[in-house]
Amino acid sequence: MSLEVTRAEPRLHDARQRLEHARTSRLAQLQALDEMGPSADDDHLLAVQKSAMERVLKEIEDAFARIEDGTYGTCLGCAKPVPAERLEILPYTRYCVACRRRAA
């Protein structure tokens, strides 16, 4: 086992934990929205919130796939490493800040 692999393991373990936490939180929020029941005034807002949470859940699943294929933490825009601080805050991000701004 190379030194690089042993250094990456704790980082990936932490990333998996952050992603699990994010997934669990989003699933709980989605369940709470489902349990609220429809209200004529809130239908559009609830639909937007549910859609946003489902989108984040998809991004979380994609991040798990990137961990598995070895590309987690690499910006999909510029192929440079995404700063660890950004991954701590947004563990499912696909882009560094500069590339995210360009995409927006």
Side-chain angles (χ1 to χ4, degrees), residues 2-80:
S2 75
L3 186 57
E4 186 174 315
V5 169
T6 56
R7 269 193 239 148
E9 284 307 312
R11 182 179 64 89
L12 292 177
H13 175 74
D14 290 345
R16 282 186 187 98
Q17 286 184 318
R18 283 192 296 277
L19 288 166
E20 280 294 340
H21 180 336
R23 178 169 47 193
T24 301
S25 297
R26 294 316 181 291
L27 287 171
Q29 291 169 342
L30 204 52
Q31 182 178 0
L33 287 176
D34 284 340
E35 291 171 358
M36 286 178 63
S39 159
D41 296 335
D42 298 330
D43 277 350
H44 178 70
L45 178 60
L46 287 175
V48 169
Q49 287 176 323
K50 286 173 95 172
S51 176
M53 280 184 233
E54 289 166 350
R55 204 170 33 254
V56 169
L57 284 167
K58 170 73 170 104
E59 290 179 29
I60 290 168
E61 293 307 317
D62 291 348
F64 276 117
R66 289 193 303 277
I67 287 174
E68 293 305 313
D69 71 17
T71 62
Y72 180 80
T74 301
C75 176
L76 296 180
C78 66
K80 294 180 182 174

Side-chain angles (χ1 to χ4, degrees), residues 82-97:
V82 175
E85 298 82 14
R86 180 159 172 77
L87 291 171
E88 285 177 26
I89 294 167
L90 202 61
Y92 47 85
T93 189
R94 297 173 289 165
Y95 300 101
C96 67
V97 173

